[in-house]
Amino acid sequence: MLSTFSTTLSDTKMLSSVLALVAILPAFVAAQGAVWSQCGGQGWTGATTCVAGATCTVSSQYYSQCLPNSSGGTTTTVVTTTTGPTTTASAPTGSQTPAAGNPFTGHNIYLTPFYAAEVAAAAANITDATTKAKALSVANIPTFTWFDTVAKVPSLGTYLAAASAQGKSSGTPSLVQIIVYDLPDRDCAASASNGEFSIANNGQANYFNYIDQLVAQIKQFPDVRVVAIIEPDSLANLVTNLSVAKCANAQTTYLACVTYAIQQLNTLGNVYSYLDAGHAGWLGWPANLSPAAQLFASLYKNAGSPSFVRGLATNVANYNALSAASPDPITQGNSNYDEIHYIDALGPALTSAGFPAHFIVDQGRSGVQNIRQAWGDWCNVKGAGFGIRPTTNTGFTAIDAIVWAKPGGECDGTSNSSAARFDFHCALADADQPAPEAGTWFQEFFTTLVTKANPPL
Ligand SMILES: *[C@@H]1O[C@H](CO)[C@@H](O)[C@H](O)[C@H]1NC(C)=O
Ligand SMILES: *[C@@H]1O[C@H](CO)[C@@H](O)[C@H](O)[C@H]1NC(C)=O
Ligand SMILES: *[C@@H]1O[C@H](CO)[C@@H](O)[C@H](O)[C@H]1NC(C)=O
Ligand SMILES: *[C@@H]1O[C@H](CO)[C@@H](O)[C@H](O)[C@H]1NC(C)=O
């Protein structure tokens, strides 16, 4: 029983809109979805048309979104925006040298308006004044934006343009945090596949096109630094789940796709990448450490040791402590019972295998410990609180930054056992229920994250 973490990430991707909240209010409110709001998908009962200037665009069978006309909105859109800087002293040429040291330093992290709007709507639905004020403060804490479908890529251009403008007006350059998450046959060890691409149906070419579109957006804004987490779950699945036929079948494609992603992003000169490395309760088991180090290091070296691949990201969307006061009983048998023990064990193994990796660690929902019944429980863990704030003052030289990779409040998965995407983890005794569809806003869960935040908000 290590981790069945896989499905949580597929569930993270659907950044459902705050307007979905509004849409369950009186019907007349929901006549047309605002820009970025959900406008369709399996089980969706809200508005299916969008306000003027936006078009309802299918992302997957589960999710359609109102995308602004100006930013494209089909999977084949060629980037045509002209908002990028026309004169820049330091336009990347493809043979850049990374800035020395920690890529997070010297930059202001951009706050995505999407999450800020979700949080604002959530706070508006909290009556207790103290809790409401705390909830509102969450809008000022940076999270990562998940680009889990190609249809969402144009919104990256919108964010980068805003981040570029902020950087120019403030005098401190901006940093935008993204998660690259659209592999074909994604979540190969999960019971249900949720990705939009399949290997059997041109998945690798579709993925390369997805990466090309990300690259085209970022290329317009060389003054904005981007930090990317690459493909949560995928490489960890290749370490521990090759006995699953779908993972064995996906192995070559995953490696080709991740290699393409890091190589293409590396040409830009402003994108620092961290490969997802699961968490302590997955690859941190002593038997998995060496195979994990070998896989990451060989992928890195085979890709040409890309200089902007800064290292690995751990605990993405999970609940582990960075440094536990004492081992949670559920970690029994694993000396690497928290993320720092895991990193301290994996880091030297990577270095000796030829990959001198630095780390970032998700602590967004890790504020409260000892609340799970099993280490593999990942779905809407009951009693979770927001954790350590994003910071570069991590206390550990191996760790560049504490980050919030999973936007807290977006649901991990539904507890409705009749729903198409039901996963049993979301109905376990330690899962907060009733939980709505994955990716949609989970108000009660968010409120608990706020009230149990540690350190307090
Ligand atoms: C994937 O590997 C993890 C870690 O060994 C394990 O706990 C999990 O059951 C595996 N998943 C499947 C579907 O075999
Ligand atoms: C946006 O696209 C929709 C659908 O194609 C169209 O009806 C609408 O007129 C467009 N709006 C603008 C402002 O271009
Ligand atoms: C559970 O899902 C089924 C199938 O989608 C749906 O018909 C039912 O209304 C859902 N129940 C609840 C309580 O949401
Ligand atoms: C507000 O929160 C309550 C309690 O969680 C919930 O029942 C209600 O549906 C929420 N309303 C909106 C508009 O989100």
Side-chain angles (χ1 to χ4, degrees):
M1 173 73 63
L2 299 186
S3 169
T4 42
F5 176 52
S6 308
T7 47
T8 189
L9 290 157
S10 68
D11 293 338
T12 302
K13 64 205 174 193
M14 309 243 180
L15 302 179
S16 113
S17 160
V18 70
L19 269 295
L21 287 173
V22 175
I24 58 175
L25 291 173
F28 64 87
V29 176
Q32 286 187 315
V35 173
W36 309 121
S37 67
Q38 184 172 2
C39 55
Q42 189 173 306
W44 175 247
T45 55
T48 54
T49 58
C50 303
V51 292
T55 304
C56 188
T57 306
V58 176
S59 295
S60 72
Q61 69 187 110
Y62 305 108
Y63 193 83
S64 298
Q65 186 181 25
C66 292
L67 296 178
N69 289 9
S70 56
S71 65
T74 73
T75 56
T76 54
T77 298
V78 174
V79 175
T80 55
T81 58
T82 53
T83 41
T86 48
T87 55
T88 303
S90 58
T93 62
S95 56
Q96 307 287 309
T97 305
N102 187 344
F104 285 85
T105 55
H107 290 70
N108 288 331
I109 303 180
Y110 176 70
L111 300 166
T112 59
F114 184 90
Y115 185 61
E118 284 184 319
V119 168
N125 192 24
I126 294 173
T127 44
D128 177 72
T130 307
T131 309
K132 185 197 283 269
K134 289 179 176 180
L136 280 170
S137 72
V138 175
N140 297 320
I141 301 172
T143 61
F144 279 64
T145 304
W146 293 65
F147 290 91
D148 59 298
T149 63
V150 74
K152 284 186 190 154
V153 174
S155 63
L156 176 58
T158 312
Y159 296 157
L160 291 167
S164 172
Q166 284 175 15
K168 287 187 176 112
S169 66
S170 73
T172 302
S174 297
L175 186 156
V176 169
Q177 304 184 124
I178 68 170
I179 299 195
V180 175
Y181 188 59
D182 205 12
L183 281 177
D185 287 8
R186 190 173 63 199
D187 287 344
C188 63
S191 48
S193 167
N194 292 299
E196 62 180 342
F197 299 144
S198 75
I199 292 170
N201 187 17
N202 212 30
Q204 182 167 316
N206 287 336
Y207 186 81
F208 283 19
N209 172 57
Y210 157 80
I211 294 297
D212 292 346
Q213 291 197 39
L214 285 173
V215 166
Q217 294 288 357
I218 297 168
K219 204 171 215 161
Q220 300 176 91
F221 303 99
D223 59 320
V224 179
R225 181 167 289 184
V226 174
V227 165
I229 294 174
I230 308 295
E231 295 296 346
D233 270 5
S234 59
L235 300 175
N237 277 325
L238 298 187
V239 175
T240 66
N241 294 100
L242 287 179
S243 60
V244 178
K246 191 174 169 194
C247 293
N249 184 57
Q251 183 176 24
T252 313
T253 307
Y254 276 15
L255 292 173
C257 287
V258 171
T259 299
Y260 187 79
I262 60 178
Q263 286 179 334
Q264 295 305 307
L265 293 171
N266 200 65
T267 66
L268 290 165
N270 59 331
V271 183
Y272 293 76
S273 296
Y274 295 84
L275 299 166
D276 184 84
H279 59 89
W282 190 351
L283 301 183
W285 288 91
N288 293 338
L289 276 169
S290 176
Q294 293 308 317
L295 178 76
F296 287 116
S298 67
L299 172 83
Y300 171 77
K301 288 185 289 186
N302 290 339
S305 303
S307 52
F308 286 85
V309 174
R310 175 75 179 167
L312 304 180
T314 79
N315 201 47
V316 171
N318 211 281
Y319 296 84
N320 295 342
L322 171 66
S323 180
S326 62
D328 185 331
I330 58 170
T331 68
Q332 204 169 31
N334 186 349
S335 52
N336 299 315
Y337 56 83
D338 58 20
E339 294 305 299
I340 190 59
H341 282 87
Y342 170 42
I343 287 166
D344 279 347
L346 183 62
L350 283 165
T351 300
S352 48
F355 183 8
H358 298 79
F359 292 83
I360 56 176
V361 182
D362 188 358
Q363 288 290 288
R365 307 188 300 178
S366 297
V368 183
Q369 290 300 306
N370 299 16
I371 52 176
R372 287 172 288 183
Q373 295 187 347
W375 209 352
D377 294 354
W378 52 265
C379 193
N380 304 319
V381 174
K382 202 191 289 182
F386 282 121
I388 303 170
R389 306 301 175 268
T391 180
T392 55
N393 188 12
T394 66
F396 301 100
T397 51
I399 304 179
D400 283 340
I402 302 303
V403 299
W404 285 17
K406 165 86 184 185
E410 291 177 2
C411 187
D412 289 328
T414 178
S415 57
N416 179 353
S417 59
S418 308
R421 303 176 72 215
F422 174 71
D423 187 295
F424 75 91
H425 288 97
C426 304
L428 292 174
D430 58 3
D432 200 358
Q433 297 167 55
E437 265 302 339
T440 62
W441 194 256
F442 191 173
Q443 180 74 6
E444 197 277 326
F445 188 75
F446 172 76
T447 307
T448 306
L449 287 172
V450 169
T451 55
K452 293 194 181 289
N454 175 27
L457 287 162

